Amino acid sequence: MLPPLPYGPADLEPVISARTVGLHHGTHQQGYVDTLNKLVEGTRFAGLSLEQTIRATAGIAEHTAIFDNAAQAWNHAFYWHSLRAPGGGPAPPRLAIRIDTSWGSLSAFREALKASALAQFGSGWTWLVQDGSRLRILNTPNADTPLVLQVRPLLAIDVWEHAYYLDHQNRRAEYLTGVIDTLLNWDFAAENLGST
Ligand code: FE2
């Protein structure tokens, strides 16, 4: 089932328009959910959660289509919660300490996050993850998800063109600056942070 957005479709404007949110959530994400449901019907994956499906199919060639659609459904749900309006601003203290440890300052972290997202060739995702006691930025191509890596995802930015092309055309940097500076949901990132 398609999870509802945690806010209204126009709430992320002007960085992400209601039209983009409507298409992205109602067409792209809905498409992944619908395709997944068809693919798993009558299989041993029917009835599993998205997380269980992703873990059960990762790296298995014959289940690539199920993995891709399940991972995209999960990644998108995580992305919507990674944003809010107003967002951005300072990180909560327990996260800010870890950001300072890894990047020296919040502004240096923002630059590193943007640079990583800009460097993703073609479609994919940029993530803030917890790797043991450290925070890291990583990219995943296409549908790949850090859920199957030994790290804990904290925030996601969708860098597929469908996430920004209607509003920013090919100017990915403009979309990223708006998202990183004004839409990141730090409280969601802090909730995802583990104790280690
Ligand atoms: Fe997307």
Side-chain angles (χ1 to χ4, degrees):
M1 235 170 62
L2 181 70
L5 290 169
Y7 33 69
D11 288 354
L12 305 179
E13 291 188 342
V15 178
I16 305 173
S17 67
R19 188 165 169 238
T20 291
V21 171
L23 281 167
H24 199 173
H25 179 252
T27 303
H28 291 278
Q29 188 178 356
Q30 179 77 64
Y32 297 125
V33 171
D34 291 346
T35 303
L36 175 66
N37 288 339
K38 281 185 200 136
L39 288 170
V40 300
E41 199 178 333
T43 75
R44 65 189 171 90
F45 304 111
L48 295 186
S49 69
L50 279 181
E51 290 89 338
Q52 289 169 328
T53 305
I54 290 164
R55 292 196 166 103
T57 56
I60 303 173
E62 67 185 284
H63 297 316
T64 297
I66 292 175
F67 172 84
D68 284 345
N69 284 279
Q72 281 295 77
W74 189 91
N75 289 349
H76 279 87
F78 196 89
Y79 167 65
W80 297 122
H81 285 278
S82 297
L83 308 179
R84 72 172 174 199
R94 73 193 194 99
L95 203 49
I97 291 166
R98 291 171 188 257
I99 286 172
D100 286 349
T101 301
S102 291
W103 292 280
S105 68
L106 185 60
S107 62
F109 162 74
R110 284 197 180 107
E111 287 306 311
L113 188 64
K114 186 173 166 183
S116 185
L118 273 174
Q120 172 59 35
F121 184 79
S123 297
W125 297 84
T126 295
W127 304 84
L128 172 64
V129 302
Q130 181 181 1
D131 184 357
S133 62
R134 303 273 300 185
L135 300 188
R136 285 173 50 205
I137 293 165
L138 60 86
N139 291 351
T140 57
N142 302 314
D144 283 359
T145 178
L147 209 57
V148 296
L149 308 173
Q150 300 306 311
V151 296
R152 183 189 287 263
L154 304 183
L155 286 174
I157 302 177
D158 190 339
V159 293
W160 285 58
E161 280 192 343
H162 65 222
Y164 59 87
Y165 204 85
L166 284 178
D167 303 322
H168 304 280
Q169 289 77 56
N170 62 331
R171 301 185 298 277
R172 187 188 284 185
E174 186 180 282
Y175 158 73
L176 293 170
T177 299
V179 165
I180 293 168
D181 292 354
T182 68
L183 294 179
L184 284 187
N185 184 349
W186 285 119
D187 288 337
F188 179 64
E191 282 167 24
N192 291 325
L193 198 61
S195 54
T196 51

